[in-house]
Amino acid sequence: VYLRIQDQQKRSTGDGSQQYLGFLPSMLVGAMMRKIKSRTWKKQRYFKLQDDCMTIWYKSKKAGNAHSTFSVSEVEAVREGHQSEVLLSIANEFPANRCFTLVFRGRKGNLDLVAESAEEAQSWIRGIRKLIENVENMGEREKLDQWISDWFKKADKDRDGRMNFKEVRDLLKMMNVDMNEHHALRLFTLADKSCSGSLEDDEFVLFYKMLTQREDVLTVFQEFSSDGQTLSHRDLEDFLREEQLEGDNVQQHAMHLIEQYEPSETAKMLNIMTFDGFLMYLSSTEGSIFNPQQRGIYQNMTLPLCHYFISSSHNTYLMEDQLRGQSSVEGYIRALNRGCRCVEVDCWDGPSGEPIVYHGHTFTSKILFKDVVTTVGNYAFKVSEYPVILSIENHCSVEQQRVMARHLSHILGEKLLRKPLDGHASTGLPSPENLKGKILVKAKKIGGLEENIGALVEDSMSGEVSDDDDVAEMEEENLHRDSVRGRRKVGWPGVAHPFLSVQSFFVSFHPKKSKQCLSKELSDCVIYCKSFHFRSFKHSQMHSKFYEVASFTESKARKYLKESGAEFVQHNSRQLTRVYPTGFRTDSSNFHPQEMWNAGCQIVALNFQTAGEGMDLNDGLFSQNGCCGYVLKPSFMRQTKSGFDPETPQKQEDYQPVLLTIQVISGQQLPKVNIKEGSIVDPLVRVEIHGVPMDQAKQETRYIENNGFNPVWQDSLRFTIHTPELALVRFVVEDYDKTSKNDFVGQYTVPLTCMQQGYRHIHLLSRDGTSIPPSSLFVHVRITEV
């Protein structure tokens, strides 16, 4: 790894490694640093980079204490200074130039550290960043080398740099391989070229290659090879044209693949591809099931905002459940870094005149509104330049609303959209392209958009707005919270009904007369996203303005979808709609977002902190178009006079169903899910179709007993899909258990419209959406018109 980084630096700078690699020797020696968990928990730990330059080891100063390790590949980013709530809390004690935060992938908590000096902190910050860059720049072969190296270290129990046969048997169990001892000994003996009774370096690599022979890929290779040994340029062209269905520039593409993936320089000179090169291509991004041409921004971004699905978060500030969970600005950082473009802020009156954010009337912790705004301002456009919507649920007094408006203006500055783009009220929403780099506030507003142009209510310092939209959004949630707490009989001293909010009480007895005072300053921050109370689709078509946004609980949206699906789709072709989880989901679980996308709902808000099917689908949909958080809706959902009804897609004009055939061929290096010694995965693959109701389907392969290392299924699954433009395909691998629920192994979700045909690898993701290399599935895909 050290030499690889050194070589990269020589190529990029031409001056060798000394200037850039000074950090590695000091990291290899190690350093004492403080690990910070809270204002009171600050303990010294010795941190050291292992010789593989991939693993960081640390332990307590006290002799005999257990040590911990983590891989550089687990680290997503390094933040300098006081860039976490924990480090901010001890800012007076330790200067920013000694502090840094390691942010891990997935849902693993951050690691906050304080170095002994600013120089040492910089050495580790620059060093870890360079190591992360190295991991991200690894090719498929380098990733595989690293994976082999990791397994060698795990198996080499006595750390002598070689493996005896007992260590090899233990390794096979760790790798999910159930192999009889005779066959294992045969492979071991064949690999032991030195006849030393143990495997070293190259011998272990040879053992691994024998263990991982890909007969499934070899069969395909030999089918197209003229001589059975290599693929000529013509052979490769035939494969790309006939199997991969790549009709354009096949000759040029074949040349590119040989140049890119063929490891043999001799083969490159002869313009041929060996089996190793063929396998490297199929295992690469170009050989994956996701079309690389749809990874970047490829859609038209100049249409009105309501014509896009928008990646959206519910209760963004929560890290856990809805009743006692922690509130943190980290929730906003993680959501925005995943491409989320609509985040939620629940605002309440706080002490010392400062508004706070938390899940009202619960025991969730509280954070300052100004800290949330600062965080959003800092992270809004790090991964996507397209607009962010700040969805504000406002429970504050007029005085603290003015403070909110002040914070929004002062902290966000030019990023905050304060007036319509062209200076006058238009007849439709602007596009994501026109709103690049802008933050929009979604909240209640006094009057309409005209107030931001002609200053028609300039003399008014505050105004009243109907509270009906709050009734629609929060009545169910408040009543559920009250009932939950009532059953628990928990209260505050001196308060008769501590959990019965004034709002829910007022709503119950005066639903028609409820009003909320709104400050003009906060109202003026709302431009294109005014919250309004939805009455009916007919009323909306006649009276609603293009900048008004309706909000529905999942149950209300589901009701409208079943009763008036076509009208719902038409409504969403003109205006934005937000759908959010019901208040009964106190565990922060998620509903099925596909239902709402079927109706064209743009802002389908999910609990980003909760892994599972809902977030898998969200990640799958928004993995296309540059992961920018905006995906263009199908054309039939953008037409205001569209007759599309998700319940009856066969009545749609230009209706054209397709047949999807997936042959699940094999799996590679599936992760072990049961930590019990000797336990080996019995994998099966389930393919799920998520789309309109007629398309919802799932089928499974048979399970393979005791083989998570290289299971072979060769099972074909077929699906008829009526609305391919809306379909998502989710691959789920599970460990079969006949006596209890199957254990989750891995998953991958892809839009049908982004799937490549032919022989493809699917690189599996963990439960929280992070990659688990080199775990994969090998499949064959065909999509044909019915």
Side-chain angles (χ1 to χ4, degrees):
V1 175
Y2 183 96
L3 292 173
R4 191 188 305 133
I5 299 172
Q6 188 177 49
D7 186 52
Q8 286 173 1
Q9 291 299 345
K10 282 180 179 177
R11 288 198 302 270
S12 61
T13 66
D15 64 355
S17 63
Q18 293 307 308
Q19 181 183 352
Y20 294 89
L21 294 180
F23 59 81
L24 271 181
S26 61
M27 290 174 71
L28 288 164
V29 170
M32 191 67 73
M33 290 188 275
R34 282 182 175 85
K35 179 181 175 183
I36 314 292
K37 283 190 178 179
S38 68
R39 199 176 296 176
T40 55
W41 199 102
K42 297 167 283 197
K43 302 200 174 175
Q44 289 199 316
R45 296 285 184 266
Y46 190 75
F47 286 81
K48 182 178 182 293
L49 179 66
Q50 301 286 69
D51 291 341
D52 65 354
C53 291
M54 281 292 294
T55 308
I56 293 174
W57 173 100
Y58 65 96
K59 69 172 292 183
S60 167
K61 263 174 48 173
K62 296 176 183 175
N65 277 20
H67 69 271
S68 301
T69 62
F70 60 87
S71 171
V72 171
S73 62
E74 296 176 56
V75 183
E76 184 175 318
V78 185
R79 296 186 202 146
E80 288 187 62
H82 300 139
Q83 285 203 58
S84 75
E85 286 163 316
V86 170
L87 290 179
L88 278 170
S89 71
I90 50 101
N92 294 333
E93 191 175 348
F94 299 105
N97 61 8
R98 288 171 53 194
C99 301
F100 62 98
T101 301
L102 301 187
V103 182
F104 291 94
R105 300 182 188 279
R107 289 167 175 80
K108 185 176 178 179
N110 296 344
L111 179 59
D112 292 301
L113 299 171
V114 179
E116 292 297 304
S117 68
E119 293 74 26
E120 196 163 69
Q122 274 303 308
S123 178
W124 279 82
I125 290 166
R126 287 198 301 267
I128 295 175
R129 282 177 176 166
K130 180 52 66 179
L131 292 170
I132 293 170
E133 182 186 338
N134 174 63
V135 170
E136 290 173 347
N137 290 333
M138 276 185 184
E140 294 302 318
R141 181 170 291 276
E142 290 169 327
K143 287 178 185 174
L144 193 56
D145 289 345
Q146 186 60 52
W147 191 78
I148 295 171
S149 171
D150 289 344
W151 278 115
F152 188 94
K153 282 187 300 178
K154 286 178 185 176
D156 184 17
K157 299 290 187 185
D158 53 11
R159 301 286 186 267
D160 62 353
R162 55 174 66 108
M163 279 201 303
N164 58 40
F165 183 62
K166 181 183 181 304
E167 289 173 326
V168 166
R169 280 186 310 176
D170 293 341
L171 170 69
L172 292 175
K173 287 179 181 175
M174 285 192 285
M175 295 174 96
N176 258 330
V177 183
D178 183 24
M179 184 181 291
N180 71 60
E181 192 161 323
H182 175 73
H183 184 51
L185 183 58
R186 188 174 70 85
L187 293 181
F188 180 88
T189 305
L190 286 170
D192 183 16
K193 299 294 185 185
S194 61
C195 299
S196 62
S198 61
L199 304 182
E200 305 179 39
D201 301 330
D202 294 343
E203 293 175 334
F204 178 72
V205 173
L206 178 60
F207 173 78
Y208 175 82
K209 286 194 78 170
M210 289 189 289
L211 193 65
T212 57
Q213 282 181 338
R214 291 291 301 274
E215 296 294 335
D216 50 349
V217 177
L218 185 60
T219 301
V220 179
F221 178 82
Q222 291 177 335
E223 183 185 339
F224 283 86
S225 171
S226 301
D227 61 6
Q229 301 297 316
T230 63
L231 291 177
S232 67
H233 190 278
R234 180 65 178 272
D235 294 339
L236 186 54
E237 279 186 48
D238 290 344
F239 172 74
L240 294 175
R241 190 180 294 109
E242 295 170 23
E243 279 300 340
Q244 309 300 73
L245 301 187
E246 296 179 11
D248 299 331
N249 301 318
V250 168
Q251 186 176 11
Q252 190 175 349
H253 191 205
M255 290 177 65
H256 159 75
L257 293 180
I258 292 170
E259 182 62 35
Q260 183 74 20
Y261 299 107
E262 176 51 52
S264 166
E265 291 301 324
T266 303
K268 281 184 182 179
M269 288 174 61
L270 296 172
N271 203 20
I272 60 176
M273 181 175 268
T274 63
F275 175 71
D276 281 349
F278 186 67
L279 181 57
M280 292 300 288
Y281 152 60
L282 286 178
S283 303
S284 73
T285 303
E286 290 184 86
S288 77
I289 197 167
F290 200 110
N291 188 341
Q293 294 180 0
Q294 290 168 295
R295 283 283 184 197
I297 303 286
Y298 73 97
Q299 295 180 332
N300 182 356
M301 301 301 287
T302 64
L303 300 177
L305 215 55
C306 56
H307 287 180
Y308 298 83
F309 296 120
I310 303 172
S311 181
S312 306
S313 162
H314 175 62
N315 288 349
T316 315
Y317 48 88
L318 286 179
M319 303 296 287
E320 300 162 30
D321 67 73
Q322 315 272 313
L323 293 178
R324 297 175 179 272
Q326 177 195 2
S327 301
S328 171
V329 296
E330 193 64 38
Y332 293 91
I333 297 172
R334 293 187 180 191
L336 291 167
N337 281 344
R338 288 180 77 167
C340 179
R341 298 288 87 189
C342 180
V343 296
E344 186 182 13
V345 192
D346 287 358
C347 304
W348 300 79
D349 280 353
S352 307
E354 281 292 344
I356 55 173
V357 174
Y358 84 113
H359 204 40
H361 310 299
T362 67
F363 294 112
T364 58
S365 59
K366 303 170 178 66
I367 52 179
L368 292 175
F369 175 76
K370 65 180 178 182
D371 289 345
V372 170
V373 177
T374 300
T375 301
V376 171
N378 289 338
Y379 287 89
F381 306 110
K382 283 190 179 291
V383 301
S384 171
E385 55 190 344
Y386 292 104
V388 168
I389 299 171
L390 209 55
S391 181
I392 294 179
E393 196 175 289
N394 172 21
H395 305 272
C396 291
S397 61
V398 171
E399 291 74 20
Q400 293 212 11
Q401 288 176 41
R402 292 189 179 117
V403 176
M404 288 168 62
R406 209 156 45 239
H407 288 326
L408 288 167
S409 298
H410 291 169
I411 295 171
L412 298 180
E414 290 298 311
K415 293 177 185 173
L416 180 67
L417 188 71
R418 295 300 307 269
K419 58 185 179 182
L421 291 183
D422 52 7
H424 58 83
S426 59
T427 56
L429 290 167
S431 70
E433 186 69 28
N434 290 335
L435 290 167
K436 270 184 180 178
K438 291 296 181 184
I439 296 173
L440 286 67
V441 173
K442 174 197 164 293
K444 283 171 280 188
K445 182 176 180 64
I446 304 166
L449 196 58
E450 300 74 22
E451 275 72 6
N452 291 79
I453 302 153
L456 301 178
V457 290
E458 206 165 287
D459 295 337
S460 171
M461 295 306 291
S462 67
E464 284 190 339
V465 292
S466 168
D467 214 22
D468 285 351
D469 53 336
D470 267 353
V471 174
E473 287 196 35
M474 294 175 283
E475 187 174 19
E476 176 187 352
E477 195 166 339
N478 283 335
L479 290 173
H480 178 62
R481 289 178 193 163
D482 295 343
S483 67
V484 168
R485 296 187 199 90
R487 286 196 300 271
R488 291 183 180 175
K489 297 183 179 178
V490 180
W492 293 328
V495 182
H497 298 284
F499 298 113
L500 185 61
S501 68
V502 173
Q503 181 189 50
S504 61
F505 181 87
F506 199 78
V507 165
S508 300
F509 293 94
H510 304 282
K512 302 287 186 187
K513 300 177 183 177
S514 179
K515 298 282 183 182
Q516 180 189 21
C517 281
L518 191 66
S519 81
K520 180 180 181 296
E521 294 88 341
L522 186 58
S523 173
D524 284 350
C525 293
V526 180
I527 306 299
Y528 291 119
C529 298
K530 175 187 175 181
S531 298
F532 87 110
H533 175 53
F534 178 84
R535 289 179 173 80
S536 69
F537 290 120
K538 185 175 181 180
H539 182 275
S540 176
Q541 187 173 7
M542 294 174 63
H543 301 288
S544 292
K545 304 288 176 57
F546 66 87
Y547 52 80
E548 293 178 329
V549 184
S551 287
F552 303 121
T553 62
E554 56 176 289
S555 50
K556 185 64 69 72
R558 208 171 280 123
K559 175 176 176 288
Y560 286 133
L561 182 55
K562 294 211 180 300
E563 292 175 355
S564 316
E567 288 182 281
F568 207 168
V569 173
Q570 286 180 24
H571 172 86
N572 289 326
S573 70
R574 301 186 304 269
Q575 294 173 250
L576 291 171
T577 295
R578 174 175 170 265
V579 181
Y580 59 97
T582 174
F584 292 92
R585 294 184 181 272
T586 54
D587 59 350
S588 292
S589 60
N590 282 311
F591 58 90
H592 195 282
Q594 185 68 49
E595 290 180 284
M596 312 309 165
W597 294 326
N598 289 342
C601 298
Q602 302 87 351
I603 305 175
V604 179
L606 299 179
N607 290 300
F608 269 50
Q609 72 272 30
T610 306
E613 181 184 79
M615 280 306 300
D616 291 348
L617 297 178
N618 196 78
D619 290 343
L621 175 65
F622 292 102
S623 59
Q624 61 183 309
N625 206 34
C627 298
C628 73
Y630 286 85
V631 169
L632 188 63
K633 294 197 286 187
S635 58
F636 55 79
M637 303 187 95
R638 308 196 302 263
Q639 300 157 6
T640 52
K641 293 186 179 178
S642 167
F644 175 73
D645 186 336
E647 295 289 331
T648 55
Q650 69 275 23
K651 295 182 181 178
Q652 177 197 345
E653 192 177 340
D654 300 327
Y655 165 67
Q656 179 57 69
V658 299
L659 177 67
L660 171 66
T661 304
I662 297 174
Q663 183 186 22
V664 182
I665 300 170
S666 63
Q668 294 76 44
Q669 290 94 56
L670 303 178
K672 193 165 182 169
V673 293
N674 194 325
I675 59 173
K676 285 183 183 176
E677 189 175 347
S679 174
I680 293 173
V681 169
D682 301 330
L684 62 82
V685 179
R686 184 171 64 253
V687 178
E688 304 170 351
I689 307 299
H690 298 267
V692 298
M694 281 183 72
D695 291 340
Q696 293 289 131
K698 60 181 70 173
Q699 293 180 37
E700 291 180 352
T701 66
R702 61 206 160 87
Y703 71 90
I704 304 296
E705 196 169 350
N706 287 338
N707 188 353
F709 187 73
N710 54 0
V712 176
W713 291 279
Q714 297 285 4
D715 288 351
S716 291
L717 312 175
R718 292 178 178 82
F719 304 89
T720 299
I721 301 178
H722 300 271
T723 312
E725 299 89 341
L726 286 172
L728 294 171
V729 184
R730 182 172 181 248
F731 296 84
V732 185
V733 183
E734 291 183 341
D735 180 12
Y736 173 76
D737 193 321
K738 60 184 175 186
T739 60
S740 62
K741 186 179 177 183
N742 293 348
D743 289 323
F744 174 89
V745 174
Q747 64 83 26
Y748 188 81
T749 306
V750 57
L752 179 67
T753 54
C754 295
M755 284 173 67
Q756 296 199 100
Q757 299 191 60
Y759 288 100
R760 302 293 173 182
H761 276 95
I762 298 169
H763 300 284
L764 294 172
L765 304 175
S766 67
R767 189 182 294 278
D768 60 14
T770 57
S771 62
I772 43 176
S775 300
S776 63
L777 298 175
F778 187 49
V779 300
H780 183 269
V781 178
R782 270 293 174 267
I783 303 171
T784 54
E785 290 186 354
V786 175

